[in-house]
Amino acid sequence: MRRLKIAAVAAACLGIMTCTAAQAAEIRMIGSTAMREALDELVPLFEKATGHKVVINFQSGAELPVRVEEGVPSDIVLTTPDNIERLVKGGKVAGGSRVDFVRSRVGVAVRAGAPHPDISTPDGFRAAMLAAKKIGISKGPSGVHLMSVMQKLGIADEVKTKAIMPALGARVGALVASGEADIGVQQVTELLPIAGIDFIGPLPRELQTEIVYATVRPMNARETAAADALVKFLTSETVAPHLRKMGLEPG
């Protein structure tokens, strides 16, 4: 099975052409921590097939644009559109170089073995939030979205008093697994890998959002050809099954 995966990656790279034609390079990426699991699985496949080396500097959504603005060396930036817009305006990344990578939804989890509240409807989700004593909420995009939903449901003040937030870049699921939070809300791809929790489902359709992650070229990029090959690989049909397995949809 592993050989088949490598063969599929190699075939994708042959289609990209620059992958096999370019001399092996070290590609520097600054990427969102929300994409850690996806990149941890996909990047080794790309490296094996091409000989390129990818060095990833993971940063939280709030810290990532600051690092880019400080001029941290990178050939690719992987982040959300609002951060990209900020960096384009600041002259730190090339306008028009954005390539959408994935779309990520927000989900809910409880401690392994705990009762599963019915979150299939807005009313059910609202009731679950009110019933919980402590709620794990991210400081990143999913947390921002959740609080807008709580405002919409009229319970923002109640939820704020019960909210527990992990450090930037840390997983809400860890708070749920340890019992520090009764229920946790974060991007599905960030909840699924956490041991000790039960993922009970995405937010109801009426309350759901899709958080986009995209690549963009920083102005201080050096290995542009190799970086372009990586972007083409990450957005190829070859990787789509891997992304869906992790709760993501190709961009």
Side-chain angles (χ1 to χ4, degrees):
M1 181 62 71
R2 179 69 176 174
R3 290 180 178 177
L4 289 175
K5 288 182 178 179
I6 298 299
V9 174
C13 288
L14 284 170
I16 292 168
M17 295 302 291
T18 55
C19 222
T20 53
Q23 185 177 0
E26 181 175 278
I27 305 165
R28 301 160 302 173
M29 173 187 285
I30 297 180
S32 168
T33 53
M35 294 293 102
R36 184 186 300 274
E37 286 77 19
L39 294 174
D40 281 351
E41 178 165 335
L42 296 175
V43 163
L45 299 178
F46 173 80
E47 291 177 328
K48 180 72 173 180
T50 66
H52 293 319
K53 173 73 174 176
V54 183
V55 178
I56 307 175
N57 177 1
F58 285 108
Q59 297 287 335
S60 69
E63 294 173 326
L64 187 149
V66 177
R67 300 287 87 79
V68 178
E69 289 166 346
E70 291 174 344
V72 173
S74 58
D75 301 302
I76 305 176
V77 174
L78 175 59
T79 187
T80 54
D82 55 336
N83 279 341
I84 290 176
E85 183 178 357
R86 166 179 166 177
L87 294 170
V88 168
K89 288 180 179 178
K92 298 299 181 180
V93 300
S97 66
R98 169 181 162 181
V99 178
D100 287 356
F101 172 40
V102 294
R103 292 171 283 121
S104 179
R105 295 189 299 167
V106 178
V108 184
V110 295
R111 194 173 187 180
H116 291 197
D118 181 4
I119 62 162
S120 61
T121 65
D123 285 345
F125 180 65
R126 183 180 188 276
M129 293 292 101
L130 289 174
K133 294 180 180 179
K134 294 294 181 181
I135 303 170
I137 300 174
S138 168
K139 293 181 180 179
S142 64
V144 173
H145 174 69
L146 176 65
M147 291 315 300
S148 71
V149 168
M150 296 300 92
Q151 192 71 41
K152 178 180 178 180
L153 295 177
I155 58 172
D157 290 339
E158 293 94 324
V159 169
K160 285 178 183 177
T161 64
K162 300 189 284 187
I164 301 179
M165 295 185 176
L168 286 169
R171 299 297 196 238
V172 166
L175 298 177
V176 178
S178 68
E180 296 175 74
D182 305 306
I183 194 167
V185 180
Q186 197 168 26
Q187 293 180 54
V188 174
T189 189
E190 295 180 274
L191 291 174
L192 290 179
I194 304 298
I197 67 173
D198 288 343
F199 174 69
I200 57 178
L203 293 183
R205 178 179 53 81
E206 300 90 335
L207 306 179
Q208 187 60 263
T209 188
E210 286 191 334
I211 301 168
V212 175
Y213 288 88
T215 65
V216 68
R217 177 180 293 174
M219 299 305 290
N220 61 358
R222 295 169 59 184
E223 297 290 351
T224 55
D228 286 348
L230 175 58
V231 171
K232 289 178 181 178
F233 168 69
L234 292 175
T235 55
S236 68
E237 288 298 321
T238 302
V239 307
H242 297 268
L243 296 174
R244 293 192 176 99
K245 179 184 67 177
M246 290 180 275
L248 297 165
E249 280 297 319

